[in-house]
């Protein structure tokens, strides 16, 4: 519940959608009101003095006042007390947002990479945020991608365990008033209890390169029954995908969890890295002047040691997939690339 | 008549006499020319960045070009304009005169500092034509060390050299303040501008080496593959942030303390009143300088540092608010029962107080851990630090320019042009940056090339404001040119200032004082 809720101060904030976000808004309103009062005292005083003590004649004298101990004590001590209140209040809210060490009812492992999010549920469901070809509709010049949806149940404590594959990213949901960096080599957590149903946008707030502003996802909060139904459907889809041929599995990896399509197109267009159209069986020219015909060995090496052979005209920007990809997955990807004539 | 007099401007002639000068006043002017050129460049980048954000999606440039412009805007403005700005230009010009000295303690070192800024700026600027640097001015690892181009190396090397310029200037000012004060000028009688420059100098000398080492480590990692920040090599990416902000938070005060010094001078002179609470203002500068070393972690509340670290940094950060509030109260109390003249420098001083109050109060939001989590790295932060650094420092810079212009050149700056410039800059700032607080509320992250359609109107308002600011500074520049060509003779003390620079001719003679002044009282004795 909002304290001072008759003031429409939070009208620009997104709807508070978690248990914790209402507490943040209360603190926000306190800061806004106390800040406004301080501003009126300071600037109001300034404006009054400008008019009241304006120089009217050139020889006008001013008062000689060097200091006033009581006034100075008060205007040091009162701000100090107010700031200690804000500090303690902020601490309390922060502790509640962080929930250090607390396990969630639903745990999801979130991996950030340039420029996508992967969500893995404990039961194997995996959701990948978009990586290439899903432009936000209705905006001709937009570079934003239509965010993929992650589903979580209402009223449960959800814990996201964050990490990053490459650079720093930051997981931010404005409607939850919460944010946490995803740091390579480290695990951080983002815990929340949703109290509103609906779709909430995830942004990346740590600058991470060219497509920083496209790195979005959507969290959909639904009630428990719908959540169970969604999970069942996702598991069904996954089973269906396992029966598919190697090229289809490769395509799913390419567009999904490995996120290759973020940097490599399949239609010949140039994104960050070279396109894979017509790659297999054709000659590749490298930055060091050498060249090779693209075969299984070359593709495998490029996945595991991307800097070994850098295609001419492209930066050595890709990081190794060593340890992140299985032998069979490499085979599936190669089968998929073979289909890209 | 000025041209008959023997002064520092006609003491020697020719471009070579300028490039080899050891006169602190001439070096101040050389800094002015250089830093204003950088400011122009940084301003053009700002206008381009805002123009790109006029509509969602691609407006003018690709995302890569946008990210580079955003990086150059930040790096130029921070390292080459706002950090050196007031201390290097006005500090050099007025500090020795204000304490009754002939020059700074180490004139050769002073000239060398200028050359180091030039060399650093040239190396940094050369990256514009080389490989793209798109890291943002913070150079966060591992993005800067493993993901982006090699252009980061010369960029960072240039900043490293600029840092040395800053250290040497700081060292020079500390020694000058301690050793060259005129007889009778005790530490409690030096003007508040000098106190501010002195506190700034301490920060420059102590904090800048940390940045220098950090940047060297970044270069070592990028060129030699030493694992310091990159986790793939066994490094810690968050370590960079600790190092970086250990410099860059004090640097925020390197930017704002000199501005506060300027405001103290302007408020006292244009209120024709002794400053209220001299010691409180003087020592609050030192307090801000001291505490600012212990607050860097407030940039890292969501970085993955421990919850306890966040709380500790939040607590110490709140303490900085107190000396800052003291200064504002003192300036306003100085105006109480004063005899206030609203010339354009005073307008800039009042504009500073207005903008800095908003910047300071919103800083409290960000110092509070629970609130910062929402606002961190959103447009709220962009608005906050522009209100503090740009609204604060650049308002003070314009005020200082018009205030000391007659002393520097012997010509008066046209007050009407100063006022017109003020109206554009002041209103432009608010139109540009106030909507960004609201964008932050709505959750728009910073450093975004593209944004959701719901953010469009506020971004357009902001871009419109940027044109007003640009116009305001062009009017200010026009005023400078007009005053140089057709300005009226200023005389010794056009504004009725009480500090020592107003007791000598304008422009000052080569060695400032005919005979060394002897002080018998404080700096603002308006009785």
């Amino acid at each position: 519940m909002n304290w001072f809720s008759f003031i429409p101060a939070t009208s620009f904030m997104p709807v508070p959608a978690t248990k914790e976000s209402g507490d943040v808004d209360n603190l926000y309103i306190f800061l806004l009101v106390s800040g406004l009062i301080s501003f009126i005292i300071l600037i109001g005083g300034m404006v009054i003095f400008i008019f009241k003590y304006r120089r009217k004649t050139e020889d006008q004298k001013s008062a000689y006042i060097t200091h006033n101990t009581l006034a100075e004590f008060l205007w040091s001590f009162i701000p100090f007390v107010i700031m200690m209140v804000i500090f303690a209040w902020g601490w309390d809210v922060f502790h509640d947002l962080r929930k250090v060490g607390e396990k969630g009812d639903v745990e999801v492992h979130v991996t950030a990479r340039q420029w996508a999010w992967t969500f893995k549920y404990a039961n194997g469901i995996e959701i990948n945020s978009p990586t290439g070809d899903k432009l936000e509709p209705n905006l001709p010049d937009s570079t934003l991608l239509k965010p993929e949806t992650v589903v979580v149940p209402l009223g449960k404590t959800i814990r996201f365990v964050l990490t990053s594959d490459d650079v720093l990213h930051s997981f931010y949901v404005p409607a939850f008033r919460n944010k946490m960096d995803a740091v390579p080599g480290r695990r951080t957590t983002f815990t929340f209890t949703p109290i509103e149903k609906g779709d909430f946008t995830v942004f990346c707030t740590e600058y991470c390169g060219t497509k920083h502003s496209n790195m979005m996802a959507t969290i959909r909060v639904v009630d428990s029954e719908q959540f169970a139904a969604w999970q069942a459907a996702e598991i069904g889809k996954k089973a269906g995908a396992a029966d598919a041929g190697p090229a289809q599995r490769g395509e799913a990896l390419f567009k999904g969890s490995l996120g290759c399509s973020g940097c490599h197109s399949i239609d010949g267009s140039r994104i960050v890295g070279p396109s894979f159209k017509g790659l297999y069986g054709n000659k590749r020219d490298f930055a060091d002047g050498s060249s090779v015909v693209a075969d299984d060995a070359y593709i495998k090496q490029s996945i595991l040691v991307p800097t070994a052979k850098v295609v001419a005209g492209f930066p050595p920007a890709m990081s190794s997939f060593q340890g992140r990809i299985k032998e069979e997955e490499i085979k599936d990807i190669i089968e998929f690339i073979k289909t890209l004539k | 008549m000025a041209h008959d007099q023997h002064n520092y401007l006609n003491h020697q002639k020719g471009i070579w006499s300028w490039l080899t000068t050891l006169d602190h006043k001439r070096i101040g002017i050389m800094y002015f020319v250089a830093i204003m050129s950088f400011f122009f460049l940084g301003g053009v980048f700002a206008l381009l960045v805002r123009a790109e954000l006029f509509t969602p999606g691609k407006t003018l440039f690709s995302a890569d070009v946008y990210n580079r412009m955003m990086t150059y805007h930040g790096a130029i403005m921070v390292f080459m304009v706002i950090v050196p700005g007031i201390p290097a230009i006005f500090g050099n010009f007025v500090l020795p005169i204000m304490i009754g000295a002939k020059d700074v303690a180490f004139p050769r070192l002073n000239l060398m500092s200028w050359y180091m800024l030039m060399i650093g700026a040239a190396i940094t600027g050369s990256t514009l034509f080389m490989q793209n640097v798109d890291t943002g001015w913070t150079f966060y690892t591992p993005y800067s060390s493993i993901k982006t181009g090699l252009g980061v190396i010369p960029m960072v090397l240039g900043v490293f050299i600029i840092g040395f310029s800053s250290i040497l200037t700081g060292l020079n000012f500390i020694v000058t303040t301690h050793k060259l004060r005129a007889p009778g000028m005790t530490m409690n009688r030096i003007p508040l501008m000098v106190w501010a420059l002195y506190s700034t100098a301490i920060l420059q000398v102590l904090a800048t080496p940390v940045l220098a080492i950090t940047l060297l480590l970044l270069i070592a990692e990028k060129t030699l593959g030493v694992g310091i920040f990159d986790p793939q090599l066994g490094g810690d990416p968050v370590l960079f942030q600790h190092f970086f902000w250990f410099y860059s938070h004090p640097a925020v005060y390197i930017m704002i303390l000199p501005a506060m010094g300027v405001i103290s001078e302007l408020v006292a002179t244009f209120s024709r009143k002794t400053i209220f609470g001299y010691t409180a203002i003087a020592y609050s500068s030192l307090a801000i300088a001291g505490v600012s070393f212990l607050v860097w972690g407030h940039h890292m509340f969501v970085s993955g540092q421990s919850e306890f670290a966040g709380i500790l940094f939040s607590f110490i950060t709140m303490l900085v608010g107190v000396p800052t509030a003291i200064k504002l109260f003192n300036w306003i109390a100085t105006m109480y029962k004063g005899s206030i003249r609203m010339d354009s420098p005073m307008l800039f001083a009042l504009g500073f107080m207005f903008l800095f109050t908003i910047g300071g109060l919103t800083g409290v939001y960000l110092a509070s851990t629970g609130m910062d989590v929402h606002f961190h790295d959103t447009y709220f932060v962009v608005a906050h630090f522009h209100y503090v650094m740009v609204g604060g420092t650049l308002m003070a810079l314009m005020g200082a320019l018009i205030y000391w212009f007659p002393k520097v050149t012997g010509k008066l700056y046209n007050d009407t042009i100063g006022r017109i410039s003020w109206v554009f800059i002041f209103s432009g700032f608010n139109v540009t940056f106030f909507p960004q607080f609201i964008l932050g509320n709505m959750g728009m992250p910073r450093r975004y090339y593209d944004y959701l359609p719901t953010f469009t109107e506020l971004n357009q308002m902001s871009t419109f404001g940027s044109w007003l600011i640009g116009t305001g500074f062009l009017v200010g520049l026009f005023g400078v040119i007009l005053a140089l060509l057709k300005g009226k003779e200023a005389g010794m003390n056009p504004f009725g200032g009480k500090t020592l620079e107003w007791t000598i001719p304008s422009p000052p003679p080569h060695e400032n004082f005919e005979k060394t002044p002897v002080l018998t009282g404080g700096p603002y004795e308006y009785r």
Side-chain angles (χ1 to χ4, degrees), chain A residues 1 16-26 93 96-97 99 102 155-157 175-177 191-196:
Chain A
M1 270 300 104
T18 58
K19 209 166 75 163
E20 303 80 17
S21 51
D23 300 334
V24 177
D25 286 2
N26 281 337
V93 171
D96 196 36
L97 283 170
K99 294 188 173 58
E102 204 171 300
K156 295 278 190 341
T157 305
F176 298 176
R177 314 285 189 267
T191 313
F192 62 100
T193 313
I195 54 165
E196 288 278 338

Side-chain angles (χ1 to χ4, degrees), chain B residues 30 46 48 60 65 79 101 104 116 118 126 128 136 164 183 232 299 327 341 347 357 403 414 418 454 496 521:
Chain B
M30 280 162 47
L48 291 172
L60 296 169
V65 174
F79 295 114
V104 291
M116 290 192 91
M118 290 299 107
S126 70
L128 275 168
F164 270 93
Q232 286 185 15
H299 295 267
K327 281 184 191 287
R341 206 169 104 176
L347 280 180
T357 303
Y403 180 59
N414 183 312
T454 45

Side-chain angles (χ1 to χ4, degrees), chain B residues 272-505:
Chain B
R272 197 187 274 170
K273 186 156 169 287
T274 192
I275 198 101
F276 185 93
Y278 171 90
T279 30
I281 298 184
Y283 291 116
S284 64
S285 292
L286 283 180
I288 290 173
V291 179
S292 74
F293 278 104
L294 306 172
V295 300
W296 77 90
H298 70 216
H299 295 267
M300 300 167 63
F301 289 154
V302 301
S303 69
Q305 76 179 2
S306 76
E307 188 193 339
F308 179 71
I311 288 160
L312 201 65
F313 282 120
S314 168
F315 174 75
I316 304 170
T317 305
M318 290 291 176
L319 298 182
V320 184
V322 176
T324 313
I326 289 174
K327 281 184 191 287
L328 278 165
F329 281 117
N330 276 299
W331 291 325
I332 291 166
T334 301
M335 292 162 61
Y336 174 68
K337 290 193 175 171
S339 166
I340 300 169
R341 206 169 104 176
M342 296 284 278
D343 286 4
S344 48
M346 184 63 172
L347 280 180
F348 279 104
L350 299 171
F352 171 97
M353 284 194 249
F354 184 96
L355 300 176
F356 189 77
T357 303
I358 296 177
L361 289 169
T362 50
V364 178
Y365 291 46
L366 299 172
S368 171
T369 38
M371 197 67 244
D372 176 70
V373 172
H374 177 58
F375 286 134
H376 193 92
D377 274 342
T378 66
Y379 263 74
F380 190 91
V381 176
V382 178
H384 157 72
F385 74 73
H386 279 91
Y387 263 92
V388 174
M389 282 158 44
V390 188
T393 308
L394 290 182
M395 291 305 263
L397 192 98
M398 286 299 292
L401 172 67
I402 300 175
Y403 180 59
W404 280 304
F405 192 86
K407 183 52 59 187
V408 174
T409 62
K411 305 277 179 65
L412 274 178
Y413 191 100
N414 183 312
D415 198 53
T416 311
I417 294 178
R419 284 159 189 265
I420 296 170
S421 167
W422 180 84
V423 168
F424 275 106
I425 297 174
F426 180 76
S427 57
F429 264 119
N430 288 297
V431 176
T432 307
F433 295 109
F434 204 84
Q436 297 187 0
F437 283 123
I438 302 170
L439 283 171
N441 269 282
M442 293 162 79
M444 178 170 165
R446 68 194 280 202
R447 296 175 168 175
Y448 257 31
Y449 164 69
D450 196 356
Y451 51 83
L452 296 176
T454 45
F455 302 138
T456 310
E457 287 79 9
L458 289 164
N459 270 294
Q460 290 184 340
M461 205 191 285
S462 190
T463 301
F464 175 69
S466 72
W467 301 334
L468 292 179
I469 302 176
T471 310
F473 280 113
L474 287 180
V475 171
L477 175 69
F478 171 72
V480 170
I481 295 166
L482 191 76
L484 286 176
L485 296 178
K486 296 192 167 169
K488 290 199 196 100
E489 294 295 328
M492 196 182 268
N493 190 0
F495 301 119
K498 285 279 181 183
T499 40
L500 283 179
E501 78 271 29
W502 303 112
T503 63
I504 57 170

Side-chain angles (χ1 to χ4, degrees), chain A residues 2 14 20 100 106 120 153 176 180 184-185 191 218 224 252 270 273 310:
Chain A
N2 273 350
E20 303 80 17
V100 178
V106 177
K120 274 187 194 154
F176 298 176
M180 193 68 198
T191 313
T218 300
S224 302
R270 183 192 171 107
V310 180

Side-chain angles (χ1 to χ4, degrees), chain B residues 68-215:
Chain B
R68 285 157 68 179
M69 290 192 308
M70 170 272 284
T71 301
Y72 282 108
H73 164 64
I76 291 172
M77 286 303 199
V78 170
F79 295 114
M80 289 151 71
V81 179
I82 300 182
V83 166
I86 295 175
I89 301 170
F90 299 104
N92 256 307
F93 199 94
V94 298
L95 180 127
I97 308 181
M98 279 182 150
I99 60 170
K102 285 179 179 165
D103 206 320
V104 291
F106 307 116
R108 277 166 217 283
L109 199 66
N110 202 15
L111 182 64
M112 184 174 147
S113 308
W114 185 82
Y115 278 103
M116 290 192 91
L117 177 66
M118 290 299 107
I119 294 167
I123 295 175
T124 298
S126 70
T127 59
L128 275 168
F129 310 101
M130 295 159 66
Q131 283 200 32
N132 55 347
V133 184
D134 61 347
T135 56
W137 75 275
T138 51
F139 309 118
Y140 267 17
T141 56
Y143 186 76
S144 58
S145 66
I146 59 170
K147 277 292 177 186
T148 196
L150 292 173
V152 169
I153 294 171
M155 180 84 164
V156 163
L157 191 70
V159 172
F160 175 85
I161 295 169
I162 291 170
F164 270 93
S165 164
S166 184
I167 295 170
L168 296 179
T169 302
L171 193 73
N172 218 336
F173 284 2
I174 292 175
V175 178
T176 307
T177 308
H178 274 297
K179 289 291 178 193
L180 300 184
R181 278 173 286 134
M185 181 165 274
T186 61
M187 281 303 267
N188 284 329
R189 283 179 182 170
I190 60 179
L192 289 167
M193 175 74 180
V194 178
W195 265 115
L197 291 168
Y198 177 75
S199 312
T200 308
I202 293 173
L203 286 177
Q204 286 174 313
V205 170
L206 294 180
T208 318
V210 181
L211 176 73
I213 298 299
T214 312
L215 298 179

Side-chain angles (χ1 to χ4, degrees), chain A residues 55 62 66 95 143 179 207, chain B residues 134 272 277 307 340 376 450:
Chain A
R55 193 176 302 176
S62 60
T66 54
H95 185 71
T143 64
K179 176 184 292 124
Y207 175 74
Chain B
D134 61 347
R272 197 187 274 170
E307 188 193 339
I340 300 169
H376 193 92
D450 196 356

Side-chain angles (χ1 to χ4, degrees), chain B residues 13-34:
Chain B
K13 290 224 157 47
I15 186 88
W16 188 246
S17 77
W18 280 86
L19 291 174
T20 57
T21 185
L22 299 179
D23 185 342
H24 68 99
K25 299 182 285 302
R26 286 187 163 208
I27 292 174
I29 291 180
M30 280 162 47
Y31 269 117
F32 177 77
V33 173

